[in-house]
Amino acid sequence: MATPTKAATAQTNGRTGTKKNSGNTTGKIEPGEFHEFFIDELKDIYWAEKHLVKALPKMKKAATSPELATAFEKHTQETQTHIDTLEQVFQLLDEKPAAKKCDAMAGLLEEANGIIEDTDAGTMIRDAGLILAAQKVEHYEIATYGTLKVFAENMDRSDVADLLGQTLENEKATDVALTEIAVSAVNAEAAAE
Ligand code: FE
Ligand code: FE
């Protein structure tokens, strides 16, 4: 995340309304301050999705098994939907969609590239590595959308929370689908190579 802050920690215990070390006497996050933080994090995941949608076709091309290639193709389309959904969220919040570099996604995609470079085309070891890289991405997205959904609920924006929840469920389903491909088609063959 571009700006890890205390608010992210507060989310883990289900509260976002307080900030221990804030300078103000009430110990509360100012409404504007939290809104700004939320928008910043939306810009971060917007950048992440926009870069992922370009990386997934490369991962599809690199995949050995048709099952994995199909999964990457499907998730490319779904990722485009995630981008559209975030644009809807920005609109609901009267904000212009803007992307802010997400260092975490940049690193995860660099790692995926490294796996492609370090493995031979046409091997199941390549696929096992691609699934590992893709699942790291999905888990990052699950963590992000899970947190942002709770933030939206805390801000009494159920409209925004619902949209973020839809993407969250799709990321979870993608993670499960990748596990199924690994278990049913890839891992045993990779181990035998
Ligand atoms: Fe996504
Ligand atoms: Fe995803």
Side-chain angles (χ1 to χ4, degrees):
M1 298 207 291
T3 49
T5 75
K6 294 178 193 82
T9 317
Q11 188 274 330
T12 56
N13 59 24
R15 293 180 298 117
T16 56
T18 58
K19 185 164 122 177
K20 276 183 192 132
N21 300 319
S22 79
N24 64 41
T25 49
T26 60
K28 282 188 180 155
I29 291 179
E30 300 300 324
E33 198 184 331
F34 189 66
H35 179 87
E36 214 173 287
F37 171 71
F38 181 67
I39 299 296
D40 241 43
E41 292 304 316
L42 285 172
K43 289 177 180 172
D44 183 280
I45 190 66
Y46 188 56
W47 189 100
E49 295 282 23
K50 282 175 86 100
H51 282 74
L52 182 59
V53 83
K54 285 185 238 160
L56 281 166
K58 284 186 229 162
M59 291 167 80
K60 182 207 158 182
K61 225 175 131 198
T64 301
S65 69
E67 291 93 337
L68 186 57
T70 303
F72 284 147
E73 191 177 334
K74 181 168 178 257
H75 203 52
T76 303
Q77 288 159 19
E78 290 165 342
T79 299
Q80 186 53 55
T81 304
H82 302 166
I83 292 169
D84 298 343
T85 302
L86 283 171
E87 287 170 359
Q88 264 179 275
V89 166
F90 280 114
Q91 203 180 9
L92 283 170
L93 295 166
D94 285 323
E95 295 279 343
K96 257 200 194 143
K100 191 170 161 186
K101 190 183 177 189
C102 170
D103 293 328
M105 183 60 81
L108 289 168
L109 295 179
E110 211 176 293
E111 199 173 297
N113 271 331
I115 284 171
I116 294 170
E117 279 168 24
D118 293 346
T119 54
D120 293 324
T123 64
M124 283 299 177
I125 294 171
R126 159 78 62 91
D127 276 17
L130 284 172
I131 291 173
L132 174 68
Q135 286 194 296
K136 286 184 184 182
V137 168
E138 293 314 308
H139 280 247
Y140 175 74
E141 291 182 303
I142 289 165
T144 303
Y145 282 108
T147 302
L148 293 180
K149 180 175 178 263
V150 173
F151 281 177
E153 283 163 359
N154 276 269
M155 294 164 76
D156 288 323
R157 291 302 303 250
S158 59
D159 52 347
V160 170
D162 286 351
L163 286 171
L164 297 174
Q166 285 170 25
T167 304
L168 175 63
E169 290 314 309
N170 180 258
E171 308 292 17
K172 285 183 186 170
T174 303
D175 181 51
V176 170
L178 287 167
T179 297
E180 274 165 17
I181 294 169
V183 170
S184 69
V186 172
N187 285 353
E189 281 188 60
E193 274 173 358

